Amino acid sequence: MSKNKSSESVKVVVRCRPLNRKEESSGPVGGIVQMDLRLGQVILRNPRASPSEPQKTFTFDAVYDANSKQRDLYDESVRPLIDSVLAGFNGTIFAYGQTGTGKTYTMQGAWLDPEKRGVIPNAFDHIFTHISRSQSDKQYLVRASYLEIYREEIRDLLDPNHSTAKGLDLRENPETGVYVPDLTSCVCKSIKEIEEVMNVGNQARAVGATDMNEHSSRSHALFLITVECSQPGPDGRKHIRVGRLNLVDLAGSERQAKTGVHGERLKEAAKINLSLSALGNVISALADGRSGHVPYRDSKLTRLLQDSLGGNAKTVMVATLGPAPAHYDETLTTLRYANRAKNIQNQPKVNEDPKDALLREFQKEIARLKAQLNHRRWRSKQKKEQVDGEDWGRDSDEEMEDEEEVVETETEEYLKLEEQRLEREEEAITEDQFLLAEEKQKLLGDLRKEQEAAEQLTAKYKAMESKLLVGGKNIIDHTNEQQKMLEVKRQEIAEQTRKEREIQQQMLVQDEETLELRETFTSLQQEVEAKTKKLKKLYSKLQCIKAEIKDMNDEHVGSRQELEQTQNELTRELKFKYLIIENFIPPEEKNKIMNRLTFDPEEDQWNFQPLVPAQSKFSQMKKRPASAVGYKRPISQFARVAIAMGAHSRYRAENIMFLELDMCPPNPSPLDCSVEADPNQTPSLENSPTRNRDIHKSSSWCQSQKSITTSSSNNSLAACPAAASAQ
Ligand code: ADP
Ligand code: MG
């Protein structure tokens, strides 16, 4: 499968934007970044240092100063990468730098101004122009996806509900690497269509920017293009190559800790910038080459870029700088990162005939529809022959000829023929005096249905086929030969510039190495001069290295202090939580809770185990309690025996008497029956049976039949009609 197993390093280019109006007005000193375009060097001046202190010099694959054009950067540094993607390699371009230094400008630019179009629109042009100019035996399928990583969550920017949807997951496949399973992917047939996809995604991002504070500078945007190309190989079979291109616009690289936030805000900021610090750690680990473990899993961004950094991909990193003296520290950090990234080695290889190629599925589907269409034609021919042997005998000859043609050209003719045939058949049927009217109708209906089905099938076939782009056609090639020549020349120039720069850099290295070899002096004076010169050169080099060591030390101390501060804050918070737990939560409850907790390393958080295992929850809920087998609800042993015994008097619940409470007022002397009750005081008791002399006998169950009926309630009277009538 692999065509090219050799490794190559990540290409790093640096771009410095011009001073903006605010920076120009605030300081007379000008920029701190100087560039040697010929040698590919960046010279950084420390505005706070004394003039005698040596300036810092970094060498890169290419550098672009404030006057550089978008087109130059594309032709020199990006075009070769896109060509590789079209040949079936994976490719990544990512812009890294402080906020406001031109990452978005470099990646997207101003779309409407041809001079200011960035890497992404130029890549669109490049891909579709390449397809339109390629040979006609090649078939292409281009797909695009757009996602962003915000607060460690992956969001699909092409999904209309992305703002409310849950963050997407990441999966890993040994063949295709890390991917996002449910990401929307749009098939694009032209530059216009792919630009539309980009616009839709950008609008989704723009909405976020107004809703959320500083959203745009804190989310990473990835535009993914997959180019599948099918071409007949020497063995006569079609081979598919799949190139994947990641165009990445990162969030600003400035450290959140520097903005002076603490506590909760600090942690939140740490989460937002986690991806970038993880990216820095990955770059350091890879560039170092000694540490075996590369912390890709620390963030979503590094996992998505896993292949691009140290894996199967060709990668270009564009580090963007601002020239303002106020941002010296950030600029230096960016340059250091970029310098480190140069040492990362990738192992790009051509992705040939991968299992998941969509193009193959499309081709199969088209072949199936083609076969169906042919079969339908053959069937309708047979049918018509049955309807009218003579008339259709002539047409069958035509069809025999048709069948020799290629299906693509046939489909339209076939439709026309079908229509003509239908008309003729209609006429024939109407004219046929011997056919019954019903049969005629039926046949006509059948024929119509047949034609509708054929039309549907043809439409489906055409829609399917139109998704594939065939080399040399489909796209209107708007460039004439002259323009083509111009582009070729421009590419040649870019290539030459690149080579020249490489040679210059090599010469510089060799110069330093051969310094000692040129030791033939004619006079003592000359020797002294030469040695002084050499000494001076070496001395300045020593100073540079000393300054570098000092910077590194300072940086190290600074980051250690930051870490210590974060650690102190976290320890304080931990103590606070411990205090609450130890004093307010009973130990047995604490143990229960702790036993239920499990750590999820993927999500980096603690989770509660459910009390009832998820799968058995349902079955447990459905199970009836043992005490109630056969009954609607749990019942007592007594009630069960009562039911079993039937009408046994012992278990008859009715043998408990139902009596109403005595409503008489407490009598001071039960025997004093001569006391007259005040008739106005309790009129309701006037006719009450409580006026009965036997009223003091609370155990009225032993009363005579008469007294029972008089003291029972209306209910009991109703239940006993005989007693009621007696009253
Ligand atoms: P970032 O994406 O890094 O935060 P932007 O790309 O939004 O920064 O750039 C900030 C501003 O600087 C924009 O107004 C942009 O037009 C301008 N700018 C950036 N780079 C250049 C450049 N090379 N030439 C001219 N203007 C630039
Ligand atoms: Mg930006």
Side-chain angles (χ1 to χ4, degrees):
M1 259 206 193
S2 64
K3 282 256 155 137
N4 179 7
K5 274 220 162 174
S6 64
S7 70
E8 64 167 51
S9 54
V10 169
K11 297 255 171 310
V12 182
V13 304
V14 172
R15 186 179 203 186
C16 183
R17 70 158 165 76
L19 280 166
N20 61 28
R21 246 180 253 149
K22 200 171 144 214
E23 289 163 352
E24 265 174 358
S25 61
S26 64
V29 268
I32 51 166
V33 179
Q34 262 182 39
M35 284 179 159
D36 187 332
L37 305 185
R38 222 166 40 89
L39 281 173
Q41 282 184 340
V42 180
I43 301 130
L44 187 69
R45 176 173 64 83
N46 185 352
R48 295 187 292 267
S50 62
S52 61
E53 196 177 295
Q55 295 177 335
K56 293 189 167 54
T57 309
F58 299 87
T59 308
F60 297 100
D61 291 294
V63 292
Y64 299 92
D65 63 7
N67 304 318
S68 64
K69 298 213 167 56
Q70 298 271 45
R71 193 85 218 176
D72 296 339
L73 185 135
Y74 188 84
D75 282 338
E76 263 181 52
S77 302
V78 184
R79 187 173 282 279
L81 181 86
I82 307 288
D83 281 331
S84 306
V85 170
L86 289 164
F89 286 96
N90 293 342
T92 299
I93 305 160
F94 69 94
Y96 179 94
Q98 192 194 351
T99 301
T101 49
K103 295 183 296 296
T104 309
Y105 181 83
T106 302
M107 292 309 288
Q108 304 213 18
W111 287 67
L112 299 176
D113 186 345
E115 284 286 302
K116 290 186 182 167
R117 284 157 72 88
V119 166
I120 294 177
N122 279 325
F124 293 169
D125 274 357
H126 185 169
I127 291 169
F128 284 98
T129 311
H130 174 92
I131 292 173
S132 73
R133 285 180 189 161
S134 59
Q135 286 150 6
S136 59
D137 60 349
K138 284 186 180 175
Q139 270 186 330
Y140 289 89
L141 181 72
V142 182
R143 283 181 289 152
S145 304
Y146 201 3
L147 63 88
E148 72 171 345
I149 304 174
Y150 178 66
R151 286 188 176 215
E152 277 308 280
E153 248 188 30
I154 299 176
R155 296 180 182 186
D156 187 349
L157 288 174
L158 303 181
D159 176 4
N161 310 318
H162 87 283
S163 53
T164 51
K166 212 177 144 267
L168 299 176
D169 286 335
L170 276 174
R171 297 250 176 83
E172 201 164 346
N173 178 330
E175 200 170 313
T176 50
V178 179
Y179 67 101
V180 186
D182 301 318
L183 193 64
T184 312
S185 151
C186 302
V187 174
C188 301
K189 289 173 279 182
S190 63
I191 299 173
K192 211 166 152 254
E193 278 187 24
I194 203 164
E195 280 181 356
E196 191 63 38
V197 170
M198 182 99 218
N199 280 340
V200 169
N202 279 346
Q203 269 163 21
R205 268 195 103 187
V207 170
T210 52
D211 284 349
M212 280 172 260
N213 188 22
E214 284 188 78
H215 181 175
S216 64
S217 67
R218 289 179 174 193
S219 85
H220 311 286
L222 275 82
F223 194 83
L224 318 170
I225 307 176
T226 312
V227 185
E228 297 185 9
C229 170
S230 145
Q231 190 182 13
D235 55 356
R237 287 179 54 224
K238 280 187 176 175
H239 289 278
I240 294 180
R241 287 177 172 192
V242 181
R244 294 185 196 88
L245 178 64
N246 303 323
L247 300 157
V248 190
D249 182 7
L250 294 179
S253 66
E254 62 276 354
R255 298 253 259 324
Q256 297 293 325
K258 287 210 166 175
T259 54
V261 290
H262 300 289
E264 283 301 309
R265 287 288 318 279
L266 181 75
K267 274 188 272 173
E268 183 201 76
K271 183 119 181 159
I272 293 165
N273 245 12
L274 183 86
S275 286
L276 278 172
S277 54
L279 180 69
N281 294 342
V282 165
I283 290 176
S284 300
L286 284 167
D288 195 17
R290 272 170 293 170
S291 54
H293 173 69
V294 183
Y296 289 118
R297 297 187 87 86
D298 282 2
S299 80
K300 299 259 157 73
L301 178 72
T302 43
R303 283 201 75 195
L304 271 172
L305 294 183
Q306 189 165 340
D307 262 340
S308 313
L309 298 166
N312 167 22
K314 294 188 175 218
T315 303
V316 174
M317 170 179 177
V318 184
T320 56
L321 309 176
H327 302 312
Y328 170 79
D329 290 336
E330 292 300 339
T331 307
L332 185 61
T333 314
T334 306
L335 282 170
R336 288 228 167 92
Y337 264 119
N339 206 30
R340 241 174 262 171
K342 280 193 312 189
N343 301 327
I344 298 175
Q345 293 291 317
N346 284 354
Q347 293 81 37
K349 60 174 190 185
V350 174
N351 304 310
E352 205 160 333
D353 289 325
K355 282 195 205 94
D356 64 339
L358 203 66
L359 189 58
R360 178 134 295 151
E361 276 172 37
F362 274 42
Q363 281 173 341
K364 273 187 198 159
E365 180 69 8
I366 288 170
R368 195 181 63 81
L369 288 171
K370 231 185 219 178
Q372 254 185 30
L373 212 56
N374 275 340
H375 179 68
R376 198 166 270 280
R377 290 180 56 227
W378 177 80
R379 248 190 22 214
S380 70
K381 188 187 81 183
Q382 295 265 319
K383 226 178 185 176
K384 280 156 197 164
E385 274 176 357
Q386 278 174 10
V387 172
D388 189 343
E390 258 181 58
D391 209 17
W392 296 108
R394 182 163 42 84
D395 289 325
S396 66
D397 290 343
E398 285 169 26
E399 286 195 23
M400 287 296 279
E401 286 164 26
D402 284 353
E403 262 166 7
E404 286 159 16
E405 292 172 17
V406 191
V407 175
E408 282 101 53
T409 53
E410 269 183 356
T411 44
E412 277 170 33
E413 285 174 25
Y414 166 64
L415 263 182
K416 260 189 235 159
L417 269 176
E418 280 277 302
E419 270 171 32
Q420 284 171 8
R421 266 181 229 142
L422 185 78
E423 275 170 27
R424 263 180 282 166
E425 202 165 302
E426 261 180 28
E427 280 168 26
I429 291 169
T430 335
E431 282 165 15
D432 195 342
Q433 297 297 317
F434 300 106
L435 276 175
L436 289 170
E438 281 172 33
E439 269 184 45
K440 273 188 203 169
Q441 285 300 322
K442 199 170 156 252
L443 266 173
L444 277 171
D446 279 358
L447 273 167
R448 278 212 187 96
K449 262 189 220 153
E450 188 98 348
Q451 203 190 5
E452 269 168 28
E455 269 171 21
Q456 269 177 11
L457 202 65
T458 318
K460 200 172 164 193
Y461 168 78
K462 279 188 174 174
M464 202 74 200
E465 207 187 37
S466 72
K467 284 186 181 171
L468 302 189
L469 300 171
V470 179
K473 68 176 199 181
N474 284 48
I475 305 167
I476 303 157
D477 194 355
H478 55 86
T479 49
N480 53 28
E481 278 304 305
Q482 252 181 343
Q483 207 169 347
K484 215 162 149 184
M485 287 294 291
L486 197 70
E487 271 176 35
V488 172
K489 284 273 173 275
R490 213 192 277 156
Q491 279 169 39
E492 276 173 13
I493 292 169
E495 185 68 24
Q496 224 158 14
T497 323
R498 204 168 48 236
K499 277 194 185 141
E500 203 178 313
R501 192 182 310 119
E502 270 171 28
I503 291 168
Q504 290 274 4
Q505 286 177 356
Q506 276 171 11
M507 267 168 59
L508 203 73
V509 174
Q510 270 173 3
D511 249 13
E512 280 174 15
E513 280 171 4
T514 54
L515 209 61
E516 298 100 59
L517 299 177
R518 285 188 263 116
E519 299 259 331
T520 43
F521 307 111
T522 46
S523 69
L524 208 63
Q525 179 66 21
Q526 206 181 11
E527 192 178 342
V528 169
E529 267 174 26
K531 290 210 163 153
T532 320
K533 215 167 129 192
K534 192 172 146 190
L535 199 68
K536 269 187 188 165
K537 216 168 180 177
L538 287 176
Y539 183 75
S540 69
K541 215 172 165 181
L542 179 74
Q543 292 304 318
C544 272
I545 288 169
K546 269 188 181 168
E548 192 77 357
I549 291 170
K550 189 175 164 291
D551 277 356
M552 293 282 224
N553 257 340
D554 290 350
E555 200 185 334
H556 185 68
V557 169
S559 59
R560 209 185 59 201
Q561 277 171 352
E562 258 172 43
L563 283 174
E564 275 171 3
Q565 192 193 341
T566 318
Q567 196 199 8
N568 284 345
E569 280 187 28
L570 290 175
T571 315
R572 202 182 311 152
E573 206 181 305
L574 205 64
K575 278 183 183 164
F576 173 67
K577 298 251 158 96
Y578 258 123
L579 193 78
I580 295 176
I581 292 170
E582 294 302 328
N583 291 292
F584 294 98
I585 298 183
E588 63 274 19
E589 289 301 321
K590 190 184 86 181
N591 287 342
K592 261 192 235 167
I593 293 170
M594 281 173 70
N595 288 339
R596 275 182 63 202
L597 284 172
T598 50
F599 188 71
D600 182 357
E602 278 282 307
E603 292 292 320
D604 193 28
Q605 64 185 16
W606 290 93
N607 290 329
F608 269 111
Q609 268 178 347
L611 278 172
V612 182
Q615 69 274 22
S616 64
K617 206 171 170 182
F618 193 59
S619 57
Q620 281 205 359
M621 289 299 285
K622 264 173 56 178
K623 218 169 135 194
R624 288 179 67 89
S627 63
V629 179
Y631 303 108
K632 276 188 181 168
R633 58 184 71 85
I635 58 171
S636 68
Q637 180 68 19
F638 179 87
R640 247 186 281 169
V641 177
I643 292 164
M645 296 301 285
H648 194 280
S649 58
R650 187 177 167 192
Y651 294 101
R652 219 180 276 156
E654 291 87 292
N655 62 4
I656 299 164
M657 243 181 172
F658 177 66
L659 294 173
E660 212 169 63
L661 285 174
D662 285 343
M663 298 299 284
C664 68
N667 210 332
S669 156
L671 294 174
D672 183 13
C673 19
S674 63
V675 176
E676 285 287 314
D678 181 359
N680 302 326
Q681 202 178 2
T682 49
S684 61
L685 296 173
E686 195 70 351
N687 304 319
S688 154
T690 50
R691 284 178 61 81
N692 194 305
R693 283 180 71 89
D694 292 333
I695 201 157
H696 60 278
K697 289 182 184 172
S698 62
S699 49
S700 51
W701 54 272
C702 61
Q703 283 173 348
S704 64
Q705 175 69 28
K706 195 181 169 201
S707 66
I708 290 172
T709 44
T710 49
S711 68
S712 38
S713 70
N714 287 342
N715 281 351
S716 40
L717 283 175
C720 184
S725 61
Q727 206 179 28

